[in-house]
Amino acid sequence: MAFSVAAVLETLALEPVGPDRFRARSLPIEHGVVFGGQLLAQALVAARVGHEDKAVKTLHTVFARTARPDVALDIIVTRVHEGRALASSTVTIQQGERVCAESVVLLSVDEPDFIRHADTPLAALVPPTGKGPDGGGWQVEIEGGVDISDPTAVGPPDLNVWSRWTGAPDDPAISQALVAFTTDGFLIGTAMRPHEGVGQAQAHVTVSTGVLSHTLTFHEPCHAGEWLLLAHHSSYAGRGRGYGRADVFRAGGDLVASFVQDSMIRPATRGVSLRL
């Protein structure tokens, strides 16, 4: 998926329509379904309004239904708790009366270390050297040239993906939103890798796929414009579902975020439905 920074930032420019209520647009997607990463980013931005002294710590999202890119999104924030160190909100994204996604967002102020440890990458980190898109955009490179769309390409349920947003603004909140955007797209393909005859090229064609829930935790600040390694592993697939997790590392080896995802992966037996 090729997205420019400008196009994504337009979807994050939420229009206030009332107290803790916003309207937003979507990126055009060829399959007619809003990309889940966009909804994660919009929920994160909405939750931070009024909490500019805090950063998002954890974002947990359940995707109830698919959203259409040609219909405006209504975003409703319900503030659950507002404290000095922590705050939390629920963010509902819907189209008309149809709830598409529901997020619980925990926000936190920055605090000094009391104790500290962190996982390190399993292999040496060698970020790509390629030039970014003209005008800025999402740049992705999968290690080893793995093609998760190819149903004949078989490998272990692991996938290392380098990602950066060239031209990303110098705004910590927007960086978090752009990183959240990138975390949605690869764990289903990681779960498909060990299974011959199954690949993401079949999604929405002969295979019904979709993210059911996604939990993202930020550990350290990071800039979306720098190369970040998303190290994915799918520990289970079965009963029409997939599960996986990933860690996000800076090129220097610092762990900056982690996420887990539950997904649907099943044959489209009665034609492909965009409903989950």
Side-chain angles (χ1 to χ4, degrees):
M1 293 175 286
F3 299 118
S4 71
V5 166
V8 175
L9 292 183
E10 283 184 22
T11 71
L12 302 182
L14 309 183
E15 175 193 357
V17 294
D20 288 331
R21 301 179 73 95
F22 308 91
R23 188 155 293 135
R25 62 177 293 273
S26 295
L27 295 162
I29 303 292
E30 62 182 54
H31 293 303
V33 178
V34 173
F35 179 51
Q38 175 201 299
L39 300 178
L40 295 175
Q42 288 169 325
L44 187 152
V45 169
R48 281 201 81 248
V49 174
H51 295 293
E52 285 75 15
D53 61 325
K54 299 177 178 69
V56 171
K57 179 62 177 173
T58 298
L59 171 72
H60 174 70
T61 301
V62 172
F63 295 95
R65 297 179 181 86
T66 55
R68 290 175 47 184
D70 59 337
V71 178
L73 297 167
D74 294 311
I75 303 176
I76 302 111
V77 179
T78 303
R79 301 183 185 226
V80 177
H81 170 70
E82 297 184 55
R84 286 177 297 176
L86 298 168
S88 57
S89 296
T90 62
V91 180
T92 303
I93 301 180
Q94 57 191 60
Q95 290 182 320
E97 297 301 315
R98 299 176 71 253
V99 173
C100 302
E102 186 92 31
S103 300
V104 178
V105 187
L106 174 67
L107 303 103
S108 174
V109 298
D110 189 25
E111 298 193 42
D113 289 341
F114 173 58
I115 59 172
R116 170 179 284 266
H117 73 268
D119 282 349
T120 55
L122 297 178
L125 299 185
V126 183
T129 57
K131 177 180 176 292
D134 292 337
W138 187 17
Q139 189 176 4
V140 174
E141 185 167 316
I142 300 178
E143 281 192 353
V146 174
D147 184 359
I148 56 175
S149 294
D150 184 356
T152 66
V154 176
D158 300 290
L159 194 72
N160 284 346
V161 178
W162 285 98
S163 170
R164 71 171 174 177
W165 290 88
T166 59
D170 240 358
D171 181 326
I174 294 299
S175 269
Q176 281 196 319
L178 292 174
V179 171
F181 188 105
T182 68
T183 63
D184 182 61
F186 301 98
L187 272 169
I188 290 177
T190 303
M192 290 177 167
R193 282 200 73 199
H195 306 281
E196 188 172 5
V198 180
Q200 281 198 336
Q202 298 161 308
H204 310 299
V205 182
T206 59
V207 178
S208 291
T209 65
V211 177
L212 301 179
S213 70
H214 189 96
T215 300
L216 167 63
T217 296
F218 291 96
H219 308 303
E220 297 286 344
C222 60
H223 194 289
E226 66 179 313
W227 280 115
L228 298 172
L229 177 70
L230 285 64
H232 302 81
H233 174 70
S234 174
S235 54
Y236 173 83
R239 298 182 181 272
R241 302 290 182 265
Y243 175 84
R245 68 177 308 277
D247 288 321
V248 183
F249 297 96
R250 300 182 67 184
D254 296 329
L255 178 66
V256 296
S258 301
F259 57 96
V260 297
Q261 187 180 93
D262 286 285
S263 61
M264 174 185 70
I265 307 172
R266 65 189 185 196
T269 54
R270 286 183 277 177
V272 176
S273 171
L274 298 183
R275 289 174 175 264
L276 299 183

